[in-house]
Amino acid sequence: MTEVAVPAGESVGEVAVRTGEYVGEAAVPAASDPWSALRRRTQARIGLGRAGSALPTRHRLELQAAHAAARDAVHSPFAPDVIAAALPGTPTVRVRSTAADRLTYLQRPDLGRRLDPVDRAHLPTGEWDVVFVVADGLSSRAVHEHAAVVVRETTARLGGWNVAPVVLAEQARVALGDDVAHAMGAAMVVVLIGERPGMSAADSLGAYLTHRPVPGTTTDADRNCLSNIRPPRGLSYERAAAKLAGLMVRARELGLTGVGLKDDSPDDEGRERLL
């Protein structure tokens, strides 16, 4: 459909009825739609208006599409080959959790936190400074689109670190990284995982950093998290890698992660998005 302008004195609905054409937000004069400037600054659904006692049809359809995208992100299968192909020259290892399938994974979060015993036996061991675990989590889409770049950008900032082969984990929760690091002998683990999709983002990647994890003992309070890695709407790859590498260096100096480790770097990128 062709987007048309809204003349002064007419509403969006009146123009749509008269012309039969779609009228986008950009066509609505700011004076007649005071919410338009705010909507350009956030993905939150604000000032949507109403059609009688319901949402306007356009916004209702957008909500349905967002819900469908979130469901697809949760149920889409993990493709380790996609990640491996995006990390040329980087050794990778594939593992699974003890959740046998997607339905079990969703119903039994505890099984997603445990490494399959057979896969554990095949993990390489060494005196690694860090191991990166790329896990499907609740959005394989986020992992496929963003994880490999974050791994590359972060490792490029870790000169002199002994980095273990990247572990590609299926049906995995964040705590699976504890099991992986413990089995491989890594001092630190970074879990890059698809975050729970919402109605405004189905491709958000999270990065969870843990120092000296102990399976079954380490808690979320012992981790640091970078969330919403998904340019251009979220954190950029470069900024995420810089923050993550800075936290890793500081974690090694202090011998801890979690509530005792703070990110003191300026959030210039977030400030720019608000200006």
Side-chain angles (χ1 to χ4, degrees), residues 3-246:
E3 187 173 286
V4 298
V6 179
E10 282 194 271
S11 70
V12 172
E14 289 169 338
V15 174
V17 170
R18 176 170 56 80
T19 65
E21 300 289 351
Y22 167 71
V23 180
E25 286 182 6
V28 182
S32 63
D33 183 13
W35 289 96
S36 60
L38 292 175
R39 278 197 295 267
R40 287 195 293 270
R41 301 293 183 182
T42 178
Q43 287 185 276
R45 291 177 169 83
I46 58 175
L48 300 184
R50 64 184 183 182
S53 60
L55 283 173
T57 300
R58 176 164 64 93
H59 293 305
R60 181 175 177 81
L61 293 175
E62 289 171 350
L63 281 169
Q64 291 175 338
H67 184 253
R71 288 177 62 88
D72 285 347
V74 170
H75 291 285
S76 295
F78 181 47
D81 289 340
V82 171
I83 310 299
L87 294 170
T90 300
T92 60
V93 183
R94 302 182 187 186
V95 299
R96 291 178 56 91
S97 73
T98 53
D101 51 48
R102 198 60 175 171
L103 181 60
T104 303
Y105 171 82
L106 295 173
Q107 294 178 339
R108 292 285 305 275
D110 58 313
L111 297 182
R113 301 184 184 108
R114 305 175 195 166
L115 185 60
D116 179 89
V118 175
D119 290 344
R120 181 190 290 110
H122 290 92
L123 284 172
T125 59
E127 296 182 0
W128 315 107
D129 292 319
V130 63
V131 58
F132 287 85
V133 177
V134 177
D136 50 1
L138 291 171
S139 176
S140 293
R141 173 185 167 186
V143 176
H144 295 159
E145 294 182 4
H146 309 305
V149 185
V150 175
V151 171
R152 294 199 306 265
E153 291 284 342
T154 306
T155 53
R157 291 168 166 80
L158 298 175
W161 284 57
N162 188 17
V163 180
V166 175
V167 176
L168 309 179
E170 189 173 357
Q171 313 293 15
R173 303 277 177 173
V174 172
L176 185 82
D178 302 346
D179 213 349
V180 170
H182 190 264
M184 296 180 68
M188 204 176 300
V189 61
V190 175
V191 178
L192 300 175
I193 191 167
E195 296 182 310
R196 180 181 293 106
M199 296 299 281
S200 61
D203 63 337
S204 181
L205 184 76
Y208 291 81
L209 171 65
T210 314
H211 182 268
R212 297 289 180 191
V214 179
T217 300
T218 298
T219 70
D220 288 342
D222 301 312
R223 313 184 198 283
N224 290 86
C225 174
L226 294 180
S227 186
N228 199 35
I229 304 171
R230 54 182 195 97
R233 284 292 195 174
L235 200 61
S236 71
Y237 302 136
E238 296 78 9
R239 189 61 183 147
K243 283 179 172 288
L244 185 55

